[in-house]
Amino acid sequence: MEDTTAIAAPIEDAVEAFDSEPARSSVDGVEIITLGCRLNAYESEVMRGHAAAAGLGDAIIINTCAVTAEAVRQARQAIRKARRSNPSARIVVTGCAAQIEPQNFAAMPEVDHVIGNGEKVAAQTWTALATGDSPRVAVNDIMSVRETAGHLETGFGSRARAFVQIQNGCDHRCTFCIIPYGRGPSRSVPAGAVVSEIRSLVAAGHAEVVLTGVDLTSWGSDLPATPRLGSLVRRILRLVPELKRLRISSIDSIEADAELIEAIASEPRLMPHLHLSLQAGDDMILKRMKRRHLRDDAIRFCDEVRRLRPDIAITADLIAGFPTETETMFANTLDLVERCGLAGIHAFPFSPRTGTPAARMPQVDRAMVKARAERLRAAGQCATERHLGSQIGRELSVLIEKPGLGRAEDFTEVRLADTHPVGHIVQVRAGGHDGRRLWAKGGS
């Protein structure tokens, strides 16, 4: 599942791939419907393997998202649709929404089993389901999970790019986010296991590996000697010299350590793209969100990494219409797009999530929220076009993802006139753009 869209949230990577359209796949009598983030897509692959090994058949697994109330509504809609389409299949509901609201999903007549986030990645869960020994609701306290499960060492992705989940959970409590209660505390995959997995992925032919997690920059905080993300990045690049491209996904800029910044500046195989969880450009709103940075911190960070790596593209998540936001406060967020020199943004209207402090704050009128989100998206489109225009005439190194389409090192999408094998890296010259992606000719 590729991540070209996102929804603003403090959980840096868990929501980066949120999409309103569920991903569907069916193998050996088991259909998996995945809603939400890249981690859900990742874990759906784990469940697929466990279900197949257990011999589970004639079942539909719905892997839910809980990042917004809309995401939960979509989960319920998907469940009802699945039952109408497959009246005899066993319907198993799991994911963040199931973890947070197990009894609500268990009360749905369409649902046969509700499985928690901790349980869904355990092989014995699927063996019990296959043999009929599973309780109807198997959801334990996610906050009690302290160890990183073995499934986190498994990569998945396309033939061109593979994802390695190196971290799960979050210890932060941003006022608008419910995800920590679905994912549990922060926990990390040891560096040795990460390196071993990346070696195997490179040997299998992947040209690029993406490090992913719920709160990526917290990696290592629970490991002996508390290593930081930068040390892991340097270790991967040193110990896997055959890896052509390493990419890090969404990060919290205030938690970026000095070694990570040095790697961005000096390691050409670390791709020049950062997606930041900024969320707002006004200090008061940031404080009410319980973010860990202020406006000037974001600007200073972007200026510094751009000074160190001039070819870097920086994108970000931003929210419009957070509770108590005035027009002046919103103007500060609009202005941040230009002040940070962003190459694009993921802009979203604030949506109150039951159970979060932000849902109890004074709300902005919904029509105003929607209007501000549109203005923010327009600013993001201008930023994208500005970035695309700056690339015209440049030589680009493009990883082919599918026939005629690939990604430059800074993650800009590139449409190619010529066809090249998927997974190959080709050199092209950008000739123009359509407002969304570059187009280029040639390739060698």
Side-chain angles (χ1 to χ4, degrees), residues 80-91:
R80 295 187 182 104
K81 183 176 180 180
R83 174 56 75 211
R84 288 195 301 270
S85 302
N86 303 271
S88 64
R90 295 169 71 187
I91 293 185

Side-chain angles (χ1 to χ4, degrees), residues 8 278-282 285 289 295 316-322 325 327 329-338 342-350 368-384 386:
L278 297 183
Q279 312 306 350
D282 181 82
I285 292 297
M289 289 177 167
R295 173 189 175 85
D317 291 337
L318 290 170
I319 295 175
F322 186 82
E325 181 185 76
E327 183 62 29
M329 292 171 176
F330 173 67
N332 286 335
T333 294
L334 271 180
D335 178 66
L336 191 71
V337 177
E338 188 166 339
L342 300 179
I345 64 172
H346 295 141
F348 295 90
F350 173 78
M368 180 64 72
V369 172
K370 183 177 179 180
R372 287 177 181 171
E374 288 300 316
R375 290 164 62 192
L376 194 53
R377 290 189 185 103
Q381 180 61 32
C382 288
T384 296
R386 188 162 52 239

Side-chain angles (χ1 to χ4, degrees), residues 112-371:
D112 294 300
H113 295 278
V114 180
I115 306 297
N117 262 343
E119 291 72 29
K120 74 180 182 182
V121 294
Q124 59 266 31
T125 297
W126 301 97
T127 300
L129 282 168
T131 60
D133 295 330
S134 175
R136 187 160 186 268
V137 178
V139 180
N140 292 324
D141 179 12
I142 196 70
M143 293 302 173
S144 68
V145 178
R146 296 296 169 187
E147 296 181 357
T148 303
H151 81 278
L152 298 183
E153 300 166 18
T154 302
F156 89 103
S158 65
R159 287 171 56 196
R161 176 182 296 108
F163 299 93
V164 175
Q165 185 181 349
I166 65 170
Q167 185 273 340
N168 201 348
C170 183
D171 293 333
H172 304 303
R173 294 296 180 268
C174 297
T175 60
F176 56 90
C177 188
I178 198 72
I179 297 301
Y181 302 98
R183 288 285 172 181
S186 180
R187 50 213 190 270
S188 312
V189 177
V194 175
V195 170
S196 177
E197 177 61 20
I198 291 176
R199 279 202 185 107
S200 68
L201 290 167
V202 173
H206 294 284
E208 180 175 301
V209 168
V210 184
L211 302 182
T212 183
V214 175
D215 180 23
L216 202 62
T217 39
S218 72
W219 179 87
S221 60
D222 58 322
L223 297 176
T226 59
R228 302 294 301 275
L229 181 60
S231 69
L232 177 63
V233 167
R234 299 296 285 267
R235 183 170 180 174
I236 292 167
L237 292 169
R238 183 177 71 254
L239 297 180
V240 194
E242 63 273 28
L243 174 63
K244 295 178 181 178
R245 293 164 51 143
L246 179 65
R247 193 178 296 280
I248 55 176
S249 51
S250 182
I251 67 168
D252 191 338
S253 59
I254 200 68
E255 292 183 334
D257 62 281
E259 196 166 3
L260 178 60
I261 300 301
E262 174 58 28
I264 292 169
S266 62
E267 297 282 3
R269 290 186 295 144
L270 181 60
M271 295 296 94
H273 171 244
L274 291 175
H275 186 78
L276 307 181
S277 180
L278 297 183
Q279 312 306 350
D282 181 82
D283 284 348
M284 181 57 70
I285 292 297
L286 288 165
K287 289 177 181 178
R288 288 170 179 164
M289 289 177 167
K290 285 192 71 173
R291 298 297 293 163
R292 294 165 299 285
H293 71 274
L294 296 175
R295 173 189 175 85
D296 285 348
D297 295 324
I299 295 170
R300 190 161 44 244
F301 177 85
C302 292
D303 286 346
E304 177 66 5
V305 295
R306 192 172 290 107
R307 181 185 68 81
L308 294 170
R309 187 82 177 259
D311 63 334
I312 199 163
I314 303 172
T315 55
D317 291 337
L318 290 170
I319 295 175
F322 186 82
T324 76
E325 181 185 76
T326 65
E327 183 62 29
T328 299
M329 292 171 176
F330 173 67
N332 286 335
T333 294
L334 271 180
D335 178 66
L336 191 71
V337 177
E338 188 166 339
R339 289 294 303 276
C340 283
L342 300 179
I345 64 172
H346 295 141
F348 295 90
F350 173 78
S351 175
R353 182 64 172 89
T354 302
T356 62
R360 300 190 296 271
M361 296 177 183
Q363 303 293 305
V364 177
D365 176 76
R366 293 311 301 170
M368 180 64 72
V369 172
K370 183 177 179 180

Side-chain angles (χ1 to χ4, degrees), residues 48-96:
R48 182 194 313 285
H50 289 332
L56 182 67
D58 194 23
I60 301 173
I61 302 167
I62 301 173
N63 199 3
T64 64
C65 175
V67 71
T68 63
E70 174 62 16
V72 177
R73 187 194 69 79
Q74 290 174 7
R76 293 179 179 280
Q77 184 180 54
I79 291 166
R80 295 187 182 104
K81 183 176 180 180
R83 174 56 75 211
R84 288 195 301 270
S85 302
N86 303 271
S88 64
R90 295 169 71 187
I91 293 185
V92 181
V93 180
T94 186
C96 288

Side-chain angles (χ1 to χ4, degrees), residues 19 42 262 350 404-405:
D19 197 319
Y42 194 112
E262 174 58 28
F350 173 78
L405 195 66

